[in-house]
Every structure is written in C-alpha cells, then in structure tokens.
Amino acid sequence: PRLKQIGFTHCFGGDVDHGKIVAASKPGLVIDETRQSAVRDMLDTVLANDFRVLASTWPGYFQPHLTQYLQLDREGKPYERQSLTPNAPPVLQVFERAGESIGSTYGDHPAFDGMCVNSEVRDESNVSFTQWDRDAYRQGFGADFPDWVASKYGPNYTTIPDFPPDRVVEDDDPRLAFYRWWWSTGDGWN
C-alpha cells in the first residue's frame, strides 16, 4: 500500500536462481521447488493490492560459467572491469534462456508484468576486440576496427589532426560512424 501511495505501480520481486539459468542447457524453472508456494503467495498479495511485479535477472554478472566470453582489449586481454561480450552466441543464448525460464516460471500469474535483464550492465562494457565483436563490425562496415579505436569513448578532439575548430564533424566522419554503431548496436547489449 505504501508503494502505491507514493505513486509506484510495479516493484521487483520473485526469486531467480541466476546460477541455475547460466548453468542450464535449456529453459527451466528459476526457483527451487520449496520456494514456489511462498513466491505464489507473494504474487497473490501483489495482485490483491492492484500492483504488479517485474522479475530482475543478471545472467551477465554470473560469469564463472562464461569467462571465455569476456570483452577483450586490443591486446586480447580481459579488461580490469570485466564484462561479457553479448556478440558471442553462447552469451545471447544465456539471456534467451533467462527470459524463457523466467517467463515460464512466472508468466502465468497476472501479477507478473515483465522483467528487467542486466540493468546497468553497460557500465562495465567497453569496445571489445573478440572475434565475435570484430565480425559484428565487419558485417556493418566491411573492415576491421580502425586503428584509432581504443575504448568506448571517442578520442579527445585535441589529438585529431585538422579537427574542425567549431568541433562539429561531418555526418560521414568515420569516428562518428564508429561510435554511432558501437553505442547503438555494436557492443551487442541493445
């Protein structure tokens, strides 16, 4: 009731065993059978109060099973702030399995309204030089990453020869094209 009073319509809820999702080879229940009745009671209470629940899942943070799919720097080493490369098909499969598993666990209850998957995971994301990431760029541009790409942030304008004095680049500028690609689809998170 307090959440509704201050204007909320949804909250996070429900158990999700993230390690179980990552380790599984196919979709399945995301909660232990002993917890199912307690979770159903919670959903019933939520519904009785005209509220809704979103499941929250972070399969990308459960990396012990996925360490071979970490984003790599140009030298082929994982970044200090580790992050998965969603351009790797097995990583995408984990996320698909998470969605299917959560949906099959909670989707039949009217209080369940959706899920939030890997919220804020992009904080750790960086330009990755794995073969999957290079292939994604090659598919869009027909070439390998440009030599000047070093991180998710563009180079400082003072380091670019003949950079326009007004700091406005043309729409076909290769740096602009790269970072538009990376932030919209290139890193794979969208």
Side-chain angles (χ1 to χ4, degrees), residues 108-179:
D108 65 334
H109 198 288
F112 176 73
D113 222 18
M115 66 186 85
C116 178
V117 180
N118 260 47
S119 178
E120 301 177 24
V121 70
R122 264 188 145 170
D123 294 351
E124 277 78 33
S125 187
N126 209 333
V127 174
S128 179
F129 296 89
T130 69
Q131 192 59 51
W132 300 292
D133 297 299
R134 290 175 183 272
D135 288 347
Y137 183 78
R138 197 171 290 110
Q139 184 177 4
F141 291 87
D144 198 8
F145 285 139
D147 291 340
W148 45 263
V149 173
S151 80
K152 64 182 172 183
Y153 305 111
N156 186 305
Y157 76 95
T158 62
T159 65
I160 302 171
D162 301 321
F163 196 80
D166 62 4
R167 298 185 194 171
V168 176
V169 297
E170 297 296 325
D171 284 340
D172 63 350
D173 182 89
R175 288 169 183 84
L176 177 61
F178 177 84
Y179 287 104

Side-chain angles (χ1 to χ4, degrees), residues 1-160:
R2 178 71 177 129
L3 289 173
K4 279 189 73 172
Q5 182 185 11
I6 58 178
F8 287 97
T9 59
H10 292 71
C11 66
F12 290 122
D15 293 352
V16 176
D17 183 340
H18 302 96
K20 188 175 182 178
I21 292 170
V22 172
S25 60
K26 62 182 183 176
L29 293 179
V30 296
I31 56 175
D32 188 275
E33 289 183 27
T34 61
R35 293 277 309 136
Q36 286 182 13
S37 116
V39 170
R40 288 288 170 171
D41 288 347
M42 178 273 301
L43 290 169
D44 290 343
T45 300
V46 165
L47 188 60
N49 285 281
D50 192 30
F51 213 67
R52 298 295 179 267
V53 168
L54 301 170
S56 192
T57 182
W58 298 277
Y61 288 113
F62 289 83
Q63 297 175 6
H65 302 288
L66 301 169
T67 54
Q68 66 271 37
Y69 307 113
L70 293 175
Q71 291 182 329
L72 303 178
D73 64 19
R74 199 174 270 283
E75 284 74 44
K77 296 180 180 135
Y79 286 99
E80 186 175 330
R81 291 183 72 180
Q82 295 181 347
S83 182
L84 294 175
T85 177
N87 286 317
V91 174
L92 291 175
Q93 290 166 0
V94 166
F95 281 88
E96 289 173 4
R97 191 164 53 251
E100 290 178 40
S101 297
I102 292 169
S104 66
T105 302
Y106 299 115
D108 65 334
H109 198 288
F112 176 73
D113 222 18
M115 66 186 85
C116 178
V117 180
N118 260 47
S119 178
E120 301 177 24
V121 70
R122 264 188 145 170
D123 294 351
E124 277 78 33
S125 187
N126 209 333
V127 174
S128 179
F129 296 89
T130 69
Q131 192 59 51
W132 300 292
D133 297 299
R134 290 175 183 272
D135 288 347
Y137 183 78
R138 197 171 290 110
Q139 184 177 4
F141 291 87
D144 198 8
F145 285 139
D147 291 340
W148 45 263
V149 173
S151 80
K152 64 182 172 183
Y153 305 111
N156 186 305
Y157 76 95
T158 62
T159 65
I160 302 171

